[in-house]
Amino acid sequence: MNKLKIFSCTAGRELAFEICENLDVEHSNAEIVTFSNDNKFIKICESVRECDVYVIQGPSPPVDSNIMELLIMIDALRRASAKRITVVLPYFPYSRSDKKDQPRVPITARLISDLLHTAGAYRVITMDLTADQIQGFFVNILDHLTALPIIVDALRNHVDLENSIIVAPDAGGVKRAQKLAEILSLELGGVLVKNRKNLDGEVSISAILNNVSGKDIIIIDDEIDTANSLKSAAELLIDHGANNITAVCTHAVFSKNAINNIESDAIKQIITTNTFPVPSHPKIIVKTVAPLFANAIRCNHTGNSISSLFT
């Protein structure tokens, strides 16, 4: 069996060390330098010839610079004769640009997939894509993980499920909400209708709801970005008589005024994971995805089934 090596780019360092700890392997060394002209230079500081190599890159800004850094790292590993290069992206960049829904716009998620393949990535491991059809963009192999087992465990520990119902944040999130309701044996209490006013995240919320009066609400989404829609949804649910609002998501992007929005009295707590670096906040409960990614890497390296992690 080829030797396992774990590398990380600048934004993936913290999660990479946690994954290495779970795998009981040492983090491999690479030198990453940004020159005064903003060009990147990467040198692999140990032999990777005929090795099974995993490169971890996080989603933190600057996104475009980090994508370029990842591509250069893949190219350096390929030219150093790595046997197989797998990219670990806890959050897939540009995943919300997954369709041509306006004239003369790109499908950037497909472009990112093509760039990874061209650079030399054999496989990509990611988590909870915004839309399942993104899997069809990949020429290389894709392992699509879900944080649902982590979220389910957290809900059982932090929420009184006896009086809870699940609400989908929009029509696109119904399948995810139905799955969570099925696992927890809870009712799917409704679907929120999200009307996006502009590209800057401003939305209006209306509702298709069952009776939520006196109920604790769990809103599940793949990501929370500015939390504008979450705040509006929580306030709408409270107006309909709901008790407590718990929001759960995989990716806590928390851009712009997100922290101010989640401080709304309508939101009791948010349960999320560390695919993004998450600020400390009394309302935010963070669960690590490192053991799940470590197990996926172990399954890939040893030739075992990844789907067994979710049965």
Side-chain angles (χ1 to χ4, degrees):
M1 184 180 296
N2 301 105
K3 188 174 181 180
L4 173 64
K5 298 266 190 177
I6 307 288
F7 288 85
S8 63
C9 296
T10 302
R13 196 61 52 86
E14 186 174 342
L15 182 60
F17 279 109
E18 196 174 345
I19 289 172
C20 286
E21 185 177 347
N22 277 270
L23 288 169
D24 195 25
V25 299
E26 290 186 4
H27 183 274
S28 295
N29 294 317
E31 181 183 358
I32 302 174
V33 176
T34 302
F35 292 123
S36 57
N37 62 358
D38 209 33
N39 287 184
K40 298 274 188 177
F41 171 81
I42 295 177
K43 179 181 179 180
I44 309 303
C45 299
E46 56 192 78
S47 175
V48 294
R49 185 175 294 274
E50 296 300 304
C51 290
D52 189 13
V53 177
Y54 293 78
V55 183
I56 301 164
Q57 177 66 301
S60 302
V63 174
D64 295 347
S65 177
N66 287 338
I67 291 170
M68 193 65 204
E69 183 180 282
L70 174 61
L71 296 173
I72 295 171
M73 174 79 81
I74 296 168
D75 186 69
L77 289 164
R78 179 174 63 86
R79 295 176 189 279
S81 301
K83 179 72 173 181
R84 186 173 70 171
I85 303 166
T86 299
V87 173
V88 180
L89 290 167
Y91 177 85
F92 192 76
Y94 288 96
S95 60
R96 292 165 74 173
S97 178
D98 64 330
K99 54 188 175 295
K100 195 173 185 292
D101 55 357
Q102 302 175 48
R104 300 175 296 280
V105 298
I107 304 177
T108 318
R110 172 60 194 261
L111 173 62
I112 299 299
S113 171
D114 290 345
L115 289 170
L116 293 172
H117 175 70
T118 300
Y122 167 79
R123 181 189 299 267
V124 176
I125 304 176
T126 192
M127 177 171 279
D128 285 332
L129 292 165
T130 300
D132 286 341
Q133 68 262 23
I134 294 175
Q135 298 177 65
F137 295 167
F138 285 82
V139 178
N140 39 14
I141 301 168
L142 176 70
D143 289 322
H144 185 203
L145 310 184
T146 176
L148 200 57
I150 300 169
I151 288 169
V152 166
D153 186 58
L155 285 170
R156 285 172 172 157
N157 287 320
H158 296 283
V159 177
D160 179 9
L161 298 177
E162 293 295 324
N163 191 44
S164 296
I165 60 174
I166 309 296
V167 170
D170 50 40
V174 171
K175 184 177 179 181
R176 187 181 296 108
Q178 285 178 327
K179 183 67 174 177
L180 181 63
E182 177 186 335
I183 293 172
L184 294 174
S185 299
L186 297 177
E187 175 190 354
L188 180 60
V191 181
L192 301 172
V193 179
K194 184 187 298 182
N195 296 307
R196 193 169 298 280
K197 297 180 180 179
N198 53 47
L199 293 175
D200 206 34
E202 187 179 352
V203 296
S204 64
I205 300 289
S206 56
I208 304 172
L209 296 172
N210 297 334
N211 182 18
V212 299
S213 181
K215 295 291 187 179
D216 295 331
I217 308 297
I218 301 169
I219 303 175
I220 180 171
D221 210 346
D222 61 316
E223 69 176 70
I224 297 173
D225 188 359
T226 63
N228 287 332
S229 57
L230 173 60
K231 178 184 177 183
S232 299
E235 291 172 350
L236 179 66
L237 290 163
I238 293 295
D239 288 344
H240 278 73
N243 285 343
N244 299 308
I245 312 297
T246 295
V248 298
C249 72
T250 302
H251 309 298
V253 182
F254 290 169
S255 65
K256 294 188 175 178
N257 59 335
I259 297 301
N260 287 336
N261 282 333
I262 69 173
E263 289 174 351
S264 167
D265 291 339
I267 301 170
K268 180 183 178 182
Q269 61 187 350
I270 294 175
I271 297 173
T272 188
T273 77
N274 62 339
T275 58
F276 275 78
V278 183
S280 178
H281 192 281
K283 284 190 177 183
I284 303 174
I285 299 167
V286 183
K287 300 297 181 180
T288 182
V289 295
L292 185 53
F293 275 102
N295 284 331
I297 290 171
R298 185 181 291 109
C299 287
N300 268 323
H301 183 62
T302 58
N304 292 318
S305 169
I306 285 184
S307 61
S308 64
L309 300 176
F310 304 101
T311 55

